[in-house]
Amino acid sequence: MAQAVRTTCAYCGVGCGILATREGERGLAIAGDPEHPANAGRLCSKGTHLGETVGLEGRLLLPMIGNRQASWNKALDLVARRFRDAVANHGPESVAFYVSGQLLTEDYYVANKLMKGFIGSANIDTNSRLCMSSAVSGHLRAFGEDVVPANYADLDAADLIVLVGSNTAWCHPVLYQRMLAARAARGTKIVVIDPRRTETCAQADLHLALRPGSDVALMNGLLAHCRRQGALDEGFLRDRVSVPDDFWTSLEHDQDLWSVARACDLAPADLARFYDMFVAHPRTVTMFSQGVNQSIRGTDQVNAIINVHLASGRIGKPGAAPFSITGQPNAMGGREVGGLASTLASHMDFSPENVARVSRFWAAERIATKPGLKAVDLFRAVGEGRIKALWIMATNPAVSLPDAGRVREALAACPFVVVSDVMETTDTSVHAHVRLPAAAWGEKDGTVTNSERRVSRQRAVLPLPGQVRPDWWIVTEVARRMGWRQAFAYERPADIWREHVRLSTYQNEGARRFDLRAHAAMSDAAYDAMEPFQWDPAPFVDLCFSTPDGRARIVAVAQMELGEKLRDWPMNLNTGRYRDQWHTMTRSGISPKLARHREEPLVEMNPRDAMNLELIDGDIAEVVTPQGASMFRVAISDNQRVGDLFTPIHWTDQQSTGGRTGLLARALTDPYSGQPGFKSTPARIKRVALEWRGFLITQGEPAARPRCEWSTRIAVPNGALWELAGSGDFARLERCLPKGERIEASDDARGTRRIAVLRDGRLVAALFLSKSVALPTRDWLIEQLGLDTGAAVLAGRPSGHQVDRGAIVCACFNIGINTIVSAIADHGLVDVASIGAVLGAGTNCGSCRPALAGLLASAAKEVTHA
Ligand SMILES: Nc1nc2c(c(=O)[nH]1)N[C@H]1C(S)=C(S)[C@@H](COP(=O)(O)OP(=O)(O)OC[C@H]3O[C@@H](n4cnc5c(=O)[nH]c(N)nc54)[C@H](O)[C@@H]3O)O[C@H]1N2
Ligand SMILES: Nc1nc2c(c(=O)[nH]1)N[C@H]1C(S)=C(S)[C@@H](COP(=O)(O)OP(=O)(O)OC[C@H]3O[C@@H](n4cnc5c(=O)[nH]c(N)nc54)[C@H](O)[C@@H]3O)O[C@H]1N2
Ligand code: SF4
Ligand SMILES: [Mo]
């Protein structure tokens, strides 16, 4: 058997170590790396199923100019020439790169060096602008440097973990499991602050479903409470923190429990419980994520959290820290190289000394001297025709930027768009003049930095397919063709790494904490063998901050006005993630196992709103905002506050006619960070009346893409499942069926039609449509694909009794909600472990354990009510 290669997960910022073993041509067996400090062998559902996503289906394997294949030489020459021409004719500000926290540090470093150092513009921004730029701004204001002052080990040592705007159980599952382990071992308290009741709340001690956008009021109220209770660290405040004049007097205004509870729309007793818990447990970690960052007051929200930690001395000690958790695998690496338009390189900004220093180091003659355009402004500039050449790498802005309809128009109008991606077709790459095939996870080599500043190697396990090349190579080749051969003489990622290390140490006499001195003389062999390491294992334990006077800074922040609801837009649209999908689904969407957790894009809403709007569960509804409109399937649940809608960010033109959350979000941004307020957009929702429902299951892809009002696709083993709904005649959908022997059953009175297509007696496709009666569950039919089924398949279910297992909860063992609920009732199960013993659910990756806990809790509630 092949040797396991130690690498790092492709997905989130937890940065789990993985052992990947090659199986056959393109297969990978995946296991958690027990020696990696980030996960000690654990993986979540996404990491566990990485092996299902490394096939070649949908991959871009050759450079393309328009719709024609081209040689690398031609494609690279063209890119270099168009960028050079644009700079020559319109100046360096007329070109831009839009990059990603999913690039490796080495890729990122060369892209940043090319744009800022040599093209001479800082118009390189990253999708991290949409992700944690408010945390960066908050850190800069409070600490003088963008340093995350926490380690995962703090979660083990804390007595209280406060999760603000973080659905940790779904988005950072391995850390969530770590918190639950700490809780089991030592009774750590967990508090969740989120307007939605997420699965993260299932095992929390307290959930505060605050009014969206009221986090500053909640945190300022907490700070005032700590002061009243004598819970401030007066010595630390006096010696190590700068506090603005009048801070305390202005803070006390309106900060009694009742006023704060009213501002946050919380029960005063719940708020008091949280405040008392906070005072009682000095070892507190406050972990925050997009519910805090993705707000038009994101930076203030970050500082409101940090203020509380500074004032109570909960920083620089084990188990006590404000902890901004990062989303993407290399969000942190991007911050280190300076991938944001607002930073220069290596934790240096655009001060004249830093510009001179970096320019010397790079021997760059026309280095950028001021910040460039931030993502939202950058695409606005594209739309206004100010950007003549744009290069997008490893991100899908036509889906993920706010007001994505405008972004699509801007891309369509831009004179020259280059897209480097691993996939052939994305909503963004359809606008590209040149598409460059990038090496994917499993094929590329380099480093990533996780949320606790731990640098790990991603290592290649698979050979480069077709003509794909790593991103660093592509950028380097373009830079050389633009005339900077000397400055881009890299032959391998290790060459770039060494230069990155040298820049971090260059004239750095302790001014920047980001300093990789200890890793300076790394040979190629040492780079290959690099063990995960933290570049600063204990930031701020010396209580010395990166400000000129070494003091941290409390920043006065006030709760923004939360205006009255607008008449035409009475709802608030909140957006975010599902447990088993990654962003725009280009990779996680390939895995049939991951697809079943949520098969369609849902709009979740409170039963009271649904009643008022005459919507029922399973309806199709259109969510409308001033920016755009898109359809979703309605899911009614009291996990949502009245007046709030929640939609997922994952669905694109590639899978679906609906679910286009990016078209809906507004492009308002935080004034300091430029991060968009994705978590809140005024909206309304209305029912879409459709006459029929159906589904199509095919081996491979259908003969034609199903065209009807609602059609959404997910991957199934060796094929696809399309959920369909529409009005009028559904005969046109038969065009989607492949050739073969057809057997059919129709019932005109009931408006049903069922068609199976067989080849050599084996099922290759099934189309079921109905105007009235319920459709059979899809699972059995999916399992029949490729089998010798005969006409009985038209029944849509096995003879004998049929069990509908319901939506998949456990992705590893394909166990549905109905199966679990009956097992809880039939066997009288009371804990997650006994569900595992009976069904196996939750015993592999553990990502579904919060969901199992939730099902147990609702079963227990039903028993007491009965
Ligand atoms: N499964 C999965 N995991 C992922 C990703 C993925 O695509 N899929 N992406 C990764 C990336 S890049 C990121 S950035 C992270 C994001 O990780 P998270 O930030 O945990 O995820 P989100 O679902 O975007 O949003 C978090 C929560 O913020 C809440 N929220 C909304 N408004 C407010 C508010 O006003 N106040 C408060 N306190 N909370 C609010 C939302 O209800 C939501 O539950 O996940 C990473 N992990
Ligand atoms: N409404 C709303 N919008 C949001 C958010 C939200 O919560 N709400 N969250 C925002 C956040 S936090 C984030 S991080 C963004 C994420 O949004 P995006 O970055 O747009 O999403 P991805 O699907 O991760 O896009 C990555 C692209 O890179 C490609 N790719 C993968 N690996 C490689 C590689 O090695 N090289 C190259 N060249 N390409 C590669 C993938 O195929 C894919 O097309 O979305 C943001 N948008
Ligand atoms: S928590 Fe899951 S997605 Fe995140 S790095 Fe670990 S295995 Fe990958
Ligand atoms: Mo993100």
Side-chain angles (χ1 to χ4, degrees):
M1 195 169 115
Q3 183 103 43
V5 173
R6 293 179 71 198
T7 183
T8 313
C9 182
Y11 298 118
C12 86
V14 178
C16 296
I18 281 185
L19 297 174
T21 313
R22 195 159 162 203
E23 290 182 331
E25 246 331 280
R26 281 299 299 184
L28 279 190
I30 300 289
D33 180 355
E35 320 236 298
H36 197 291
N39 59 320
R42 284 181 293 264
L43 294 177
C44 77
S45 48
K46 291 181 297 301
T48 300
H49 295 105
L50 268 170
E52 287 194 348
T53 66
V54 292
L56 295 183
E57 60 267 52
R59 284 291 298 277
L60 177 65
L61 295 171
L62 299 163
M64 303 288 284
I65 298 177
N67 281 323
R68 292 241 176 98
Q69 295 175 7
S71 67
W72 269 113
N73 246 331
K74 268 225 165 96
L76 294 165
D77 280 344
L78 177 63
V79 173
R81 181 163 58 76
R82 293 294 300 255
F83 272 79
R84 218 176 29 225
D85 289 353
V87 173
N89 297 330
H90 306 277
E93 304 301 326
S94 71
V95 299
F97 294 171
Y98 184 55
V99 301
S100 163
Q102 292 169 75
L103 290 174
L104 304 181
T105 298
E106 292 74 5
D107 304 327
Y108 235 139
Y109 180 89
V110 283
N112 189 55
K113 179 177 177 182
L114 172 57
M115 183 52 88
K116 291 188 185 139
F118 289 80
I119 291 176
S121 150
N123 284 346
I124 170 172
D125 208 34
T126 145
N127 64 354
S128 290
R129 180 70 61 195
L130 318 177
C131 186
M132 26 92 308
S133 57
S134 287
V136 173
S137 301
H139 290 152
L140 288 171
R141 289 206 295 187
F143 309 139
E145 183 172 357
D146 175 26
V147 176
V148 176
N151 290 328
Y152 297 163
D154 290 318
L155 299 169
D156 310 331
D159 295 318
L160 170 65
I161 298 174
V162 186
L163 301 172
V164 195
S166 162
N167 187 4
T168 332
W170 281 13
C171 296
H172 299 94
V174 165
L175 283 189
Y176 191 64
Q177 289 181 33
R178 187 163 179 165
M179 293 172 202
L180 294 184
R183 185 170 186 259
R186 51 196 300 276
T188 314
K189 299 270 183 287
I190 299 178
V191 176
V192 180
I193 300 173
D194 190 317
R196 286 194 305 153
R197 186 164 69 229
T198 61
E199 269 178 20
T200 304
C201 306
Q203 280 149 295
D205 298 272
L206 180 64
H207 169 216
L208 298 177
L210 82 175
R211 182 202 308 271
S214 64
D215 294 78
V216 170
L218 186 110
M219 288 295 156
N220 281 352
L222 174 60
L223 187 51
H225 178 83
C226 289
R227 185 157 189 254
R228 287 194 295 268
Q229 299 295 309
L232 300 189
D233 186 338
E234 300 291 351
F236 179 65
L237 273 173
R238 187 189 54 237
D239 299 335
R240 305 299 330 138
V241 184
S242 305
V243 183
D245 294 341
D246 293 339
F247 179 79
W248 297 112
T249 33
S250 56
L251 180 73
E252 281 303 337
H253 183 67
D254 267 357
Q255 298 298 349
D256 64 284
L257 188 67
W258 283 267
S259 307
V260 177
R262 244 190 327 272
C264 302
D265 193 22
L266 290 168
D270 288 344
L271 194 62
R273 230 184 109 203
F274 168 51
Y275 285 2
D276 290 342
M277 252 192 236
F278 195 90
V279 169
H281 299 289
R283 283 171 177 249
T284 309
V285 172
T286 304
M287 205 163 96
F288 59 95
S289 182
Q290 299 314 344
V292 173
N293 297 337
Q294 286 175 342
S295 158
I296 55 170
R297 289 290 178 278
T299 304
D300 281 357
Q301 298 189 158
V302 169
N303 285 109
I305 292 171
I306 297 176
N307 284 349
V308 177
H309 276 264
L310 289 174
S312 58
R314 298 176 197 208
I315 191 166
K317 299 172 191 160
F323 194 170
S324 152
I325 181 98
T326 53
Q328 300 179 90
N330 202 28
M332 284 291 234
R335 286 147 84 160
E336 291 154 12
V337 302
L340 290 159
S342 38
T343 57
L344 177 55
S346 209
H347 281 209
M348 283 177 274
D349 60 11
F350 286 93
S351 72
E353 314 81 74
N354 282 334
V355 169
R357 182 177 300 123
V358 177
S359 151
R360 251 189 326 272
F361 179 83
W362 279 341
E365 276 161 23
R366 46 173 177 189
I367 192 166
T369 53
K370 60 175 200 314
L373 293 168
K374 302 187 176 102
V376 171
D377 295 334
L378 193 156
F379 278 85
R380 213 166 266 147
V382 175
E384 289 163 4
R386 288 188 277 137
I387 300 295
K388 312 294 179 194
L390 172 67
W391 188 353
I392 298 166
M393 302 174 211
T395 176
N396 197 355
V399 183
S400 56
L401 275 175
D403 201 359
R406 291 304 90 64
V407 170
R408 288 165 187 234
E409 288 167 17
L411 286 172
C414 184
F416 189 63
V417 178
V418 183
V419 172
S420 299
D421 205 288
V422 300
M423 301 312 279
E424 186 170 12
T425 313
T426 69
D427 291 13
T428 299
S429 79
V430 296
H431 299 288
H433 299 92
V434 178
R435 281 177 289 161
L436 302 175
W441 182 85
E443 298 159 1
K444 49 196 276 176
D445 259 305
T447 56
V448 290
T449 308
N450 75 2
S451 290
E452 58 166 357
R453 307 167 311 287
R454 193 179 296 281
V455 179
S456 308
R457 281 293 314 273
Q458 271 197 17
R459 294 187 174 90
V461 198
L462 297 164
L464 296 179
Q467 296 199 16
V468 311
R469 293 288 179 272
D471 290 289
W472 69 265
W473 181 90
I474 303 174
V475 177
T476 296
E477 284 296 321
V478 169
R480 291 179 183 177
R481 283 170 165 79
M482 289 182 78
W484 299 300
R485 211 151 266 287
Q486 201 62 51
F488 292 85
Y490 316 112
E491 296 297 332
R492 56 187 70 77
D495 295 340
I496 305 167
W497 169 259
R498 283 185 287 261
E499 184 178 313
H500 170 56
V501 170
R502 276 196 293 119
L503 177 54
S504 81
T505 64
Y506 185 65
Q507 299 178 345
N508 184 3
E509 310 314 328
R512 294 166 264 139
R513 269 176 192 270
F514 179 66
D515 185 329
L516 299 169
R517 209 164 287 264
H519 308 273
M522 203 177 265
S523 65
D524 289 354
Y527 179 77
D528 282 341
M530 186 196 289
E531 288 292 318
F533 73 90
Q534 284 180 295
W535 55 255
D536 186 346
F540 306 144
V541 279
D542 51 358
L543 304 183
C544 193
F545 299 88
S546 309
T547 51
D549 60 4
R551 285 167 169 264
R553 291 183 288 236
I554 279 190
V555 182
V557 291
Q559 173 62 45
M560 68 170 152
E561 282 296 329
L562 295 173
E564 289 302 303
K565 290 278 164 68
L566 306 166
R567 192 169 53 93
D568 289 342
W569 313 104
M571 309 292 286
N572 174 56
L573 175 65
N574 176 10
T575 63
R577 291 154 171 81
Y578 285 164
R579 189 191 77 192
D580 288 354
Q581 290 299 346
W582 178 262
H583 299 162
T584 71
M585 283 187 180
T586 60
R587 291 167 304 147
S588 56
I590 297 170
S591 159
K593 284 229 163 118
L594 294 180
R596 302 310 295 279
H597 176 245
R598 291 287 180 275
E599 297 179 345
E600 294 179 290
L602 307 175
V603 53
E604 288 167 65
M605 63 192 302
N606 184 277
R608 264 180 47 200
D609 291 322
M611 178 112 88
N612 291 340
L613 295 159
E614 300 183 349
L615 282 161
I616 60 171
D617 216 48
D619 273 348
I620 301 292
E622 190 175 53
V623 180
V624 188
T625 71
Q627 290 69 239
S630 191
M631 285 185 280
F632 295 82
R633 194 171 294 284
V634 173
I636 297 174
S637 132
D638 59 9
N639 294 337
Q640 287 294 121
R641 285 171 53 101
V642 172
D644 276 8
L645 304 173
F646 180 82
T647 63
I649 62 173
H650 308 294
W651 273 264
T652 72
D653 289 355
Q654 310 311 312
Q655 299 99 356
S656 164
T657 56
R660 213 68 84 256
T661 292
L663 301 180
L664 306 175
R666 61 179 168 181
L668 290 184
T669 57
D670 176 87
Y672 302 97
S673 67
Q675 178 156 358
F678 280 125
K679 293 292 184 257
S680 176
T681 298
R684 61 170 179 258
I685 179 168
K686 62 170 196 276
R687 182 158 180 269
V688 180
L690 297 175
E691 292 165 4
W692 52 264
R693 249 198 104 155
F695 63 83
L696 169 69
I697 297 172
T698 54
Q699 233 182 8
E701 294 304 315
R705 193 175 163 149
R707 304 246 170 248
C708 51
E709 283 83 345
W710 177 258
S711 83
T712 66
R713 176 195 184 281
I714 60 165
V716 303
N718 305 312
L721 161 66
W722 292 81
E723 291 292 333
L724 310 169
S727 291
D729 185 19
F730 45 54
R732 64 200 143 117
L733 286 165
E734 294 177 25
R735 258 181 300 174
C736 308
L737 291 168
K739 289 202 179 67
E741 179 203 342
R742 280 194 189 191
I743 48 174
E744 311 185 1
S746 295
D747 178 340
D748 288 341
R750 299 211 282 178
T752 65
R753 185 152 175 73
R754 295 176 171 200
I755 305 175
V757 182
L758 310 176
R759 242 180 256 153
D760 303 328
R762 290 170 194 280
L763 183 72
V764 293
L767 176 66
F768 281 53
L769 301 158
S770 171
K771 288 191 176 145
S772 55
V773 293
L775 295 158
T777 62
R778 325 304 189 237
D779 294 309
W780 183 76
L781 278 164
I782 291 168
E783 283 162 15
Q784 304 313 301
L785 279 176
L787 299 185
D788 190 350
T789 57
V793 75
L794 286 181
R797 56 188 156 84
S799 43
H801 81 300
Q802 174 195 20
V803 195
D804 174 5
R805 64 185 170 192
I808 294 298
V809 175
C810 171
C812 294
F813 298 118
N814 254 330
I815 302 172
I817 187 166
N818 297 348
T819 315
I820 296 164
V821 169
S822 348
I824 292 173
D826 296 351
H827 300 267
L829 305 178
V830 291
D831 55 27
V832 172
S834 50
I835 298 181
V838 173
L839 297 173
T843 58
N844 186 42
C845 79
S847 288
C848 67
R849 276 186 221 142
L852 300 178
L855 293 174
L856 286 162
S858 20
K861 227 190 274 170
E862 260 162 45
V863 170
T864 28
H865 285 242

